[in-house]
Amino acid sequence: MTLDKLPNGRTGIISSVGGRGAQRLRLLELGLTPGTRVTAVRRAPLGEPVQLLARGCCFTLRNTQAERIHLEAAE
Amino acid sequence: MRLALVGNRNCGKSTLFNRLTGGNARVGNFPGVTVERKSGIVLGHEDWEIVDLPGICSLHPCSPDEAVTRDFLLSERPDVIINAADSTALERALYLTLQLTQLGIPAVLALNMSDELRAGGGSVDEGALSSVLGMPVVSVSAQLGQGLDELLEQCWKVQRCPPRQSVHAFAAVEGCLCALENIAGPAAERAGIPARFAASCLMAGDSGIISLLKLGSAESGAAERLIADAERELGHDGAEALVSSRYAAVDRLCRECVTQPEQSRADRLTHSADRLLAGSAAAIPLFACVMLGIFYLSFGLAGGFSEHVFGPALDALCAHADSAMLRFGVHPLICSLVSDGIFAGIGSVLRFLPVIFTLLFTLSLLEQCGYLARVAFIADRPFARLGMSGACIVPLLLGFGCPVPAVTAARTLPDGRERLAAAALVPFMSCSAKLPVYSLFAAAFFPRGRAFVIFALYLLGILCMVLFSSFRLRTPPDSEVPGLITELPRYRLPSLRDTLNLVHEKSIDFLRRTFTLILLASIAVWFMSSFDSRLSPVSDPAQSLLAVLGGFISPLFAPLGFGDWRVCTALIAGLLAKEAIVGTLGVLLGASGLGAVFTPCSALSFLVFVLLYTPCAAALSCIHRETGSAAKTAGTALFHLTLAWLCSAVTYMLAAWFT
């Protein structure tokens, strides 16, 4: 399952980060490395972006970015 | 001594900068880019310069602003780096700190917002952290002004001691980096890049630095083999391994040296507030209310003040100056230059000052308290498709009032590309100065469909904006260029001091632009309307240079239906200020009225032209400030003129065809 499908309020563990180049590097550097827990906090009223919580920091991703992140399991 | 202030966004860097400099900043542009460079002198140390660099997430940039920070650190090599960090978000901050140690520049870690950390029951063992990192660690609170003296003392002490290179957590990564350092060392030295940082960039695949290194084919081959070996050993690719290793080190640091606070009161409040302001369906109507509130305060209240108090005061000043000059026997032409040229021209822009001040003030408060980040969050989806982010909605909406504060608001957007995009799109928003033109013509030619015509004009402006920005999108959305990733910082009480600082700075900038460019433009228009082609003064405006010019270009407007010199003269006057169009038409047409020159078809095409043509001199001046390029500004002016001409011609043809 990919991060853009993670329901609000649920937590997942990252298994891999797709994409290429600078986009992928930035996602990794935000703390979205394999093995990290990430929570989908909420989504904007229009459906995206999604507010995420990882490593104690909140940030937002668009669906095109979130769908590159694969999760192992959702809690 | 030169200090560089580096840190994540939203870590209170600006507040720290303001405290250290006493709010006296010199604002300029970094060379070659439209990113603001804020530098100042540290209070109490006249020979210490401190530069506030744009907030970054890592040394691998994703936006022009972040690139500026990295390039500054690499090329200008400050004496000391003050690494500001949000104590309550240390994991992300320490990642950057570990990266900064690779640059070999002496650094001090300033744990900002330490008061909030302590309030939440958290704490940091500064000594332990300092010994592991190999750099001094100081807890500060910029908001409360605590710890600043110690910070400066440590900066002074650390000057000649570069930080210890941190050892990577994963041995394979460390081994790979050491080997890469050896291979790329000579190339890095030639390029003026610290070897360790170059090795890190090779492993992470940072194409910007890699191209600067100009490695020979043998060296690149060897580097690739090394990285491939490490990837095989770790089971991850280079970038992933490097980042994971660094975060593993950060995790260990946090475990040993940091006691995490419980969720602070501010966090809880933020979370609850966001349930309404960011996540619920009510978020959008709430935003509309906030925007209406801003409009009411600035264009309503401050606008009213400007119209009934400030404006008449300026007029009275002008009248006094006029009568004083007459009493002193000053030549009537000079009197006219001063009153009708200088005072009138500058006055028409200056009377905006209360509106601009109020707008900037309210926007700054909203930005500091964190609400504007929520606006960017809510509005992002429609703007993402146009290659922009939700934050652009505020300057664009402000453009409906006046482009001057709108472009100024565009300057607070976090990304250089966004700022340019927003500044380019603001002129499409039909500003309030054009409304008198619309009302006049709609009332005269479309009495029954008045509101509809005006509404349609606004919609046309928005449609053109959407089409133009889609056209501007040259890179496909799914490319390697990273999309903007934003944050939703904690809500906090805005600081009055910082707000007034910011408004003061931007108002001075506005005034400076007014008294240079607008002054020149006003004098030029005055000259052209007071003299004829033989350079002798005229009293009948029909014989002035301006009218001659109007007559000269009027054939160009014949296809649009209004090829009359009086209309063209009014349009030229509108280049200085859109409010002048109605006035000039009134003076030149006199008793004959609009019907002498316009038909309903040509009235419609004229309205379309006024909607889309070149923005006023004040707006162009702001755009020039933002793009930093006279060529781009002239290009914008020409573009809008051409677009207006084409759309107006099409409108006239369609209207004539349908009637």
Side-chain angles (χ1 to χ4, degrees):
Chain A
M1 143 155 153
T2 51
L3 188 52
D4 60 323
K5 303 279 191 303
L6 186 65
N8 288 346
R10 304 284 284 278
T11 306
I13 301 180
I14 299 177
S15 63
S16 70
V17 177
R20 294 169 299 123
Q23 168 92 273
R24 179 166 180 272
L25 183 59
R26 176 46 58 100
L27 288 174
L28 289 168
E29 290 193 303
L30 281 172
L32 299 172
T33 52
T36 310
R37 302 167 63 93
V38 58
T39 310
V41 180
R42 59 174 61 87
R43 284 175 167 76
L46 295 176
E48 60 166 323
V50 56
Q51 183 185 1
L52 301 165
L53 179 65
R55 294 185 186 272
C57 291
C58 260
F59 51 91
T60 67
L61 287 184
R62 291 178 180 154
N63 283 349
T64 48
Q65 297 159 321
E67 68 191 6
R68 299 196 190 285
I69 299 174
H70 300 265
L71 304 171
E72 278 171 8
E75 295 161 22
Chain B
M1 183 165 79
R2 190 191 264 180
L3 303 161
L5 192 48
V6 180
N8 293 132
R9 279 207 291 248
N10 299 314
C11 73
K13 230 166 12 77
S14 309
T15 314
L16 185 59
F17 178 82
N18 285 339
R19 289 289 173 282
L20 289 174
T21 58
N24 297 317
R26 214 175 40 237
V27 180
N29 266 352
F30 282 100
V33 285
T34 60
V35 179
E36 235 175 47
R37 178 192 170 122
K38 223 165 154 195
S39 59
I41 304 294
V42 178
L43 280 178
H45 302 263
E46 286 99 46
D47 51 347
W48 290 16
E49 188 199 357
I50 180 167
V51 182
D52 185 11
L53 295 172
I56 55 175
C57 177
S58 101
L59 287 176
H60 306 292
C62 278
S63 71
D65 293 52
E66 294 191 341
V68 160
T69 302
R70 182 183 68 186
D71 293 341
F72 181 90
L73 292 173
L74 286 178
S75 58
E76 293 199 43
R77 289 198 75 84
D79 298 305
V80 175
I81 292 178
I82 298 182
N83 177 207
D86 180 349
S87 306
T88 56
L90 269 178
E91 286 184 63
R92 182 101 66 85
L94 287 175
Y95 180 87
L96 178 62
T97 310
L98 288 178
Q99 268 196 328
L100 287 173
T101 59
Q102 295 180 323
L103 294 178
I105 301 174
V108 178
L109 178 60
L111 297 174
N112 200 8
M113 304 176 186
S114 52
D115 52 322
E116 286 184 36
L117 179 73
R118 277 193 300 269
S123 65
V124 176
D125 184 350
E126 291 152 18
L129 191 57
S130 176
S131 61
V132 175
L133 285 175
M135 64 169 81
V137 174
V138 181
S139 284
V140 304
S141 167
Q143 191 96 339
L144 302 174
Q146 293 168 349
L148 302 176
D149 294 321
E150 209 203 316
L151 176 63
L152 292 174
E153 201 189 307
Q154 291 298 336
C155 289
W156 173 253
K157 284 187 188 163
V158 91
Q159 264 182 88
R160 271 162 269 281
C161 322
R164 205 174 40 235
Q165 285 298 355
S166 54
V167 173
H168 263 267
F170 297 171
V173 172
E174 179 65 32
C176 182
L177 282 178
C178 285
L180 283 173
E181 251 186 278
N182 287 331
I183 296 176
E189 207 180 313
R190 277 195 301 271
I193 299 170
R196 179 73 167 188
F197 180 58
S200 190
C201 289
L202 276 169
M203 198 166 179
D206 185 327
S207 45
I209 296 288
I210 293 178
S211 57
L212 279 178
L213 283 175
K214 301 202 206 356
L215 286 176
S217 51
E219 292 165 326
S220 317
E224 275 167 39
R225 274 193 301 275
L226 270 172
I227 296 174
D229 287 338
E231 289 176 352
R232 246 195 319 272
E233 197 183 322
L234 291 160
H236 294 299
D237 76 286
E240 224 175 80
L242 186 66
V243 175
S244 299
S245 168
R246 208 174 273 140
Y247 266 116
V250 169
D251 287 339
R252 194 171 58 207
L253 266 176
C254 287
R255 264 197 313 271
E256 289 169 10
C257 310
V258 180
T259 317
Q260 295 289 4
E262 320 234 319
Q263 197 186 31
S264 66
R265 194 160 161 269
D267 276 326
R268 273 198 304 275
L269 281 172
T270 301
H271 195 77
S272 321
D274 274 343
R275 239 182 275 145
L276 182 68
L277 294 173
S280 70
I284 298 182
L286 275 172
F287 167 60
C289 288
V290 170
M291 276 312 292
L292 280 172
I294 295 179
F295 264 80
Y296 176 66
L297 278 175
S298 5
F299 296 104
L301 287 183
F305 171 76
S306 166
E307 202 182 311
H308 296 116
V309 178
F310 196 62
L314 286 177
D315 291 335
L317 188 67
C318 174
H320 276 301
D322 208 27
S323 55
M325 281 192 293
L326 282 173
R327 229 174 319 145
F328 279 103
V330 179
H331 193 279
L333 210 56
I334 307 284
C335 282
S336 171
L337 168 66
V338 174
S339 321
D340 304 325
I342 297 179
F343 267 98
I346 295 204
S348 71
V349 174
L350 258 188
R351 64 188 64 215
F352 269 116
L353 200 59
V355 175
I356 291 177
F357 184 90
T358 314
L359 252 174
L360 292 177
F361 189 82
T362 43
L363 279 182
S364 173
L365 285 180
L366 282 180
E367 197 217 331
Q368 280 189 54
C369 78
Y371 183 65
L372 285 192
R374 274 74 188 170
V375 172
F377 180 68
I378 300 168
D380 193 66
R381 185 166 167 171
F383 282 89
R385 236 155 276 181
L386 298 175
M388 300 184 285
S389 85
C392 290
I393 196 171
V394 174
L396 288 180
L397 285 178
L398 288 182
F400 282 121
C402 172
V404 172
V407 176
T408 312
R411 303 192 56 212
T412 60
L413 294 175
D415 184 276
R417 286 185 299 246
E418 298 262 299
R419 288 197 294 269
L420 282 176
L425 294 177
V426 161
F428 287 102
M429 307 284 109
S430 179
C431 76
S432 55
K434 298 181 184 173
L435 203 48
V437 183
Y438 302 160
S439 308
L440 181 69
F441 278 74
F445 295 98
F446 313 104
R448 261 172 296 163
R450 230 180 314 199
F452 176 71
V453 168
I454 298 182
F455 184 63
L457 283 170
Y458 275 89
L459 274 188
L460 180 61
I462 296 175
L463 184 68
C464 287
M465 179 207 84
V466 172
L467 288 174
F468 177 66
S469 52
S470 324
F471 185 70
R472 253 175 138 258
L473 243 180
R474 257 165 271 136
T475 52
D478 199 7
S479 71
E480 266 202 34
V481 176
L484 195 64
I485 294 170
T486 56
E487 297 173 39
L488 294 182
R490 240 171 279 127
Y491 285 112
R492 55 174 27 104
L493 279 176
S495 147
L496 195 64
R497 208 194 311 192
D498 287 340
T499 306
L500 286 175
N501 242 340
L502 184 94
V503 177
H504 174 255
E505 180 194 308
K506 303 248 190 272
S507 303
I508 298 285
D509 183 66
F510 172 71
L511 284 173
R512 204 181 307 142
R513 302 240 119 211
T514 303
F515 281 98
T516 50
L517 200 76
I518 313 290
L519 180 65
L520 286 172
S522 312
I523 295 179
V525 171
W526 170 84
F527 182 79
M528 293 205 337
S529 52
S530 310
F531 290 81
D532 67 10
S533 45
R534 272 181 296 255
L535 294 183
S536 52
V538 288
S539 45
D540 179 11
Q543 289 167 333
S544 65
L545 264 178
L546 195 64
V548 169
L549 185 64
F552 187 68
I553 62 172
S554 59
L556 289 172
F557 291 91
L560 277 57
F562 45 88
D564 183 292
W565 68 270
R566 289 167 286 190
V567 180
C568 298
T569 308
L571 286 174
I572 297 174
L575 287 177
L576 186 60
K578 298 285 174 274
E579 292 89 338
I581 297 176
V582 171
T584 313
L585 272 178
V587 165
L588 293 177
L589 285 172
S592 39
L594 292 174
V597 199
F598 289 103
T599 65
C601 296
S602 62
L604 199 62
S605 70
F606 180 72
L607 285 177
V608 170
F609 190 83
V610 168
L611 168 75
L612 293 171
Y613 91 120
T614 310
C616 67
L620 280 178
S621 162
C622 279
I623 293 176
H624 174 64
R625 177 75 175 92
E626 187 42 51
T627 58
S629 147
K632 280 211 185 100
T633 312
T636 308
L638 210 60
F639 168 75
H640 282 280
L641 192 62
T642 318
L643 179 71
W645 195 96
L646 286 170
C647 290
S648 185
V650 167
T651 311
Y652 187 59
M653 281 194 304
L654 286 177
W657 193 58
F658 274 113
T659 53

